[in-house]
Amino acid sequence: MLLTLSISNSFAQISPVNTGDDPYIGTTHSYQVTIDEVANTDSCWITNNTTTYNFADHTSIISSSTSGSTYTIEIKFDSISFPVAETWVLWYSESDINGDCVAERSYTIYLKQNTFYETVYSSGTPASSFTECHDSTATVQDWSVISGTEFPTVVNFDVLMYKDLDFKLNKWQFDAEIVAGGGYSLLSIDKGAASSSMGANFTVTPKNATTYTVSVDSATGSYASDTVNIAVEVEGLMQDDGDITLDIKESGFALSGTNNIVTTIDNFTVSPSGETNNTDRLKWRKKTVTNLGVPATQNITYGTGENATTASYPMQNSTHKYVVQMEDVTNFSNPSSRWHVENASGGGPITSGITTYTIDAHSQSVSRDSVSIRFYFAAGGEYIIYFTEEGDNGCSSIRSYPITMAEPFDVDVIAAASDCPYISGRVNTEATLTETTIGDTVKIMNPSYPYNWSFDFSIESSPNFDISDLDISAITVSTGTLSNLSIVAGAATKTGTVNVSNSAASPNTEVILNITYNGLYIADHSITVTIDNIEGSFNESDADGTNSASHTIYRVPQPGTLAGVD
C-alpha cells in the first residue's frame, strides 16, 4: 500500500482502497512519506513491541528508496518473519543535517492471515472418488461404427476461489496440471462456461503439454468466492474406464491495487473445512474423475426363424423375434435395461398394449438376450425397436432396429360358381347316387408370401347334409398337407386343417379344396366353406379373422325310370 505524508506530516493511505493497513501474511506492500529535506538523515523500522526489523539490518524484510522528496518503504511480510496475524507499527525517522532535531512518523499495520486460496472442493471433506459416465451413455450408437474406435467425452471441473469479502481483486490466476489415464488421451482444455459463477471473464491457455493457465478477471461488487468451470475433452474407447485428474499447482495468485499492484499468493494452508496449517492440504487441490465406460452392447439383429425382411417389415398382427448380444446378460436386471418401441418420427417410448405392441416372450442365453414382439400397429407406419443395456456402473448403451409395418396377413376363400351336379345332362337309367367334385379356392391375398402358412376349414350345407340326398364323400387339396379331416357321413359339418410348406423360390399362395359330393341332388344345396385359425409363419392373424364363401349345387329333376308300357 502506498502512503503519503499529509499536511500534518503523518503517514496516510492513498485511495483507491488498498490493503496496506491490513496486509496478508505472505504479501509485499509499499509505504511512502514526503521528506522534509533531502539532505536530512532518514531511517525506518517496523515493530510489534517484541520484535523489530530495521532497514539497516534486515534488508530482506524492509528496504527503502528515495526519489526526489518521496521516501518509499517496502516491507515483505513473509511467513517466517511475520508468522501470526497481529498489530505492527511502521516508523519513519528524519534527523536534520546536524542530528540535533528528529521528526518521527508512525503507521499502524494490522497484519492478517491470508485467506485467499483456490480449491476443487466446496466444503466438508473431499470425497474419495468421483465418477461420471462417458458422454455416449444413453445415446443410440451403432456397434459396427464404435467398436474399436475412440470417441471424445468431456469431463468438467469446477475450481473455486475463496477470499475475504472486502479483498478487492483485479484478477486471480492458477496453473492446473491435467492428466488422462486408462487409455484416454487429452484432446483439448477450454472454458466449460462462458463466464465464472460471478459473471467474470476468464481464459484458459496452454503452458506446456499437460499444464494450463487459467486467468480470471475480478467480478464486480463485493463477493467472497468465485468459481470457474474447466472442460477437459479426452478421447478413448467409450466402453473403457479412464481417470482424468486436475491438480492445482502451487503457483496461484491474485493481483490487487491500483497505483501499486500487490501479488497475493494462493494460501495452501487453508481449506473449505476451516483447517489451518493443513498437513494434507493437497487433498483440496487435486481431483480425479473416473470416466465410466458404457456396456459393449452389440447391434440388434433378427432372431431364430427370421431374416432381414421378415424382421424389418413385420405384418400387422404378427410376432417376430429379435436378439442382441449383451456385454453381460445379468445387466438386464438393472433399472434402465429393457426393450421398447418408438415412432420413427419421435415422441418417446410407446406404451405397450393390444393396439400398439406387446412383449410376448423374453429369454436369455450365455451372452444373448432374445425377445418376441407382437405388432398391432397399422400398416405403413415406421417404428424403431430399441434395446437398452444399463451396466452396474449406471451407464447405458442403446441399440436400434428400424421397422416398417406391412399389410396384415390376408387369406380369403373364393367359392366355386353355383352349378348343377356332374350328372346333369348325362344319361342315367334310374335315380342313383352319383359323385360331383367341386373346387373351392383358398388364396393368400398378400403377393408372394414365401413362408409356411396354415388354416382350418369347415363345410356346411343348407339344407343339411343327408346321405339320401347330398353328402361329402372325399376332400383333397391341390397343395399342402391335409390333416384332422372329419367327413363323417350325415354330419352337419365337415372339417379339416391344411398346412402349406413354402419357399421364396416357389411360393404356394393358393390351395384348392377339391370337395367330392355324393347324392341324388333332390334339393338345391347352399354350400358354405369357412376358413379360420389362419396363421402364417410369424403367428400372423388374418386381416378378417374368419372368411366364408358360398355357392349352390342345384337340384336335378327326379323323373321316374323310363320303361316300355306294352
Side-chain angles (χ1 to χ4, degrees):
M1 170 145 321
L2 300 179
L3 301 171
T4 186
L5 191 63
S6 68
I7 296 175
S8 60
N9 289 335
S10 64
F11 280 114
Q13 186 174 336
I14 295 178
S15 63
V17 175
N18 210 315
T19 55
D21 54 348
D22 53 357
Y24 284 160
I25 295 173
T27 60
T28 298
H29 293 263
S30 296
Y31 305 84
Q32 289 182 344
V33 65
T34 302
I35 300 172
D36 182 63
E37 292 289 345
V38 174
N40 288 341
T41 302
D42 307 299
S43 64
C44 59
W45 63 95
I46 187 170
T47 182
N48 64 356
N49 294 326
T50 300
T51 302
T52 299
Y53 302 115
N54 60 57
F55 78 104
D57 301 321
H58 303 90
T59 54
S60 63
I61 300 172
I62 182 170
S63 60
S64 64
S65 61
T66 302
S67 177
S69 62
T70 299
Y71 187 85
T72 300
I73 305 167
E74 184 179 84
I75 303 175
K76 297 179 179 179
F77 295 99
D78 64 83
S79 59
I80 297 175
S81 305
F82 302 89
V84 297
E86 59 182 339
T87 301
W88 290 77
V89 178
L90 173 63
W91 289 90
Y92 166 77
S93 173
E94 182 178 342
S95 301
D96 64 22
I97 195 170
N98 297 316
D100 296 329
C101 298
V102 178
E104 291 187 343
R105 299 292 181 264
S106 66
Y107 190 85
T108 302
I109 298 172
Y110 303 95
L111 190 61
K112 299 179 64 176
Q113 286 287 352
N114 176 8
T115 59
F116 163 75
Y117 67 96
E118 294 147 333
T119 177
V120 288
Y121 303 100
S122 59
S123 62
T125 302
S128 57
S129 63
F130 291 85
T131 60
E132 62 180 61
C133 294
H134 191 283
D135 287 349
S136 68
T137 186
T139 62
V140 179
Q141 303 289 341
D142 184 337
W143 176 251
S144 65
V145 174
I146 66 175
S147 176
T149 303
E150 294 187 345
F151 282 82
T153 187
V154 175
V155 177
N156 287 274
F157 292 88
D158 281 341
V159 177
L160 303 92
M161 178 274 292
Y162 290 95
K163 67 179 185 64
D164 286 334
L165 186 66
D166 56 357
F167 180 28
K168 309 299 182 183
L169 303 181
N170 298 334
K171 66 179 291 185
W172 55 285
Q173 182 172 305
F174 63 91
D175 289 339
E177 183 181 41
I178 301 169
V179 177
Y184 281 83
S185 57
L186 291 175
L187 286 181
S188 66
I189 288 84
D190 207 342
K191 298 162 61 172
S195 60
S196 71
S197 62
M198 291 299 298
N201 294 324
F202 71 101
T203 59
V204 179
T205 54
K207 189 173 184 178
N208 54 45
T210 59
T211 304
Y212 291 76
T213 298
V214 180
S215 182
V216 189
D217 293 340
S218 178
T220 58
S222 297
Y223 59 98
S225 65
D226 199 359
T227 304
V228 293
N229 183 264
I230 301 172
V232 179
E233 185 180 34
V234 296
E235 185 177 60
L237 296 177
M238 63 175 65
Q239 296 82 36
D240 290 349
D241 294 350
D243 290 341
I244 296 89
T245 300
L246 183 144
D247 185 3
I248 301 176
K249 310 310 290 183
E250 297 186 40
S251 56
F253 63 88
L255 299 180
S256 60
T258 303
N259 296 328
N260 185 57
I261 302 302
V262 176
T263 300
T264 302
I265 301 301
D266 182 348
N267 188 355
F268 269 68
T269 65
V270 293
S271 68
S273 66
E275 296 170 289
T276 57
N277 296 316
N278 181 9
T279 57
D280 192 20
R281 64 187 185 275
L282 291 183
K283 70 182 182 183
W284 297 96
R285 327 282 296 197
K286 189 174 184 178
K287 182 176 183 179
T288 297
V289 176
T290 300
N291 187 77
L292 301 175
V294 299
T297 313
Q298 297 191 24
N299 287 341
I300 300 171
T301 187
Y302 48 83
T304 303
E306 303 272 356
N307 58 47
T309 301
T310 62
S312 300
Y313 299 92
M315 288 182 167
Q316 183 182 8
N317 302 319
S318 65
T319 302
H320 294 265
K321 297 176 182 178
Y322 303 88
V323 65
V324 65
Q325 183 165 321
M326 300 177 64
E327 179 180 275
D328 185 348
V329 292
T330 63
N331 284 338
F332 199 82
S333 61
N334 292 328
S336 295
S337 296
R338 62 170 178 161
W339 293 87
H340 77 278
V341 180
E342 296 185 17
N343 197 301
S345 61
I350 297 171
T351 302
S352 61
I354 60 173
T355 60
T356 54
Y357 74 98
T358 56
I359 303 294
D360 284 2
H362 175 259
S363 62
Q364 291 183 321
S365 62
V366 175
S367 62
R368 293 161 69 87
D369 193 273
S370 301
V371 69
S372 292
I373 303 177
R374 184 156 186 82
F375 299 101
Y376 301 97
F377 300 114
E382 295 185 349
Y383 300 89
I384 300 176
I385 301 169
Y386 290 103
F387 177 78
T388 302
E389 179 179 357
E390 178 187 357
D392 290 336
N393 59 11
C395 306
S396 299
S397 291
I398 302 178
R399 302 295 180 257
S400 63
Y401 195 97
I403 61 171
T404 299
M405 295 304 300
E407 294 289 339
F409 193 53
D410 188 15
V411 179
D412 290 342
V413 57
I414 304 169
S418 297
D419 202 355
C420 298
Y422 176 78
I423 193 60
S424 176
R426 288 175 171 80
V427 176
N428 192 5
T429 58
E430 59 183 11
T432 58
L433 296 173
T434 58
E435 291 185 340
T436 295
T437 300
I438 298 176
D440 294 292
T441 302
V442 177
K443 184 176 183 179
I444 298 178
M445 308 310 290
N446 308 95
S448 303
Y449 184 83
Y451 313 108
N452 297 346
W453 56 289
S454 64
F455 60 92
D456 293 340
F457 66 85
S458 62
I459 305 170
E460 296 176 329
S461 173
S462 177
N464 288 339
F465 290 118
D466 184 338
I467 59 174
S468 65
D469 181 9
L470 182 120
D471 207 349
I472 293 177
S473 60
I475 299 176
T476 62
V477 292
S478 61
T479 187
T481 302
L482 180 61
S483 63
N484 303 322
L485 182 62
S486 176
I487 53 172
V488 177
T493 303
K494 321 298 185 182
T495 60
T497 299
V498 179
N499 291 278
V500 182
S501 296
N502 227 338
S503 68
S506 180
N508 295 315
T509 59
E510 183 176 294
V511 175
I512 299 175
L513 295 174
N514 296 306
I515 305 168
T516 301
Y517 300 90
N518 188 39
L520 296 174
Y521 315 104
I522 297 170
D524 288 348
H525 281 263
S526 176
I527 307 298
T528 300
V529 179
T530 301
I531 59 172
D532 60 3
N533 296 324
I534 305 163
E535 288 189 359
S537 290
F538 306 99
N539 198 27
E540 294 98 336
S541 296
D542 184 70
D544 309 312
T546 300
N547 293 279
S548 298
S550 299
H551 65 93
T552 300
I553 301 176
Y554 299 124
R555 69 180 296 273
V556 175
Q558 303 292 317
T561 301
L562 181 63
V565 295
D566 53 7

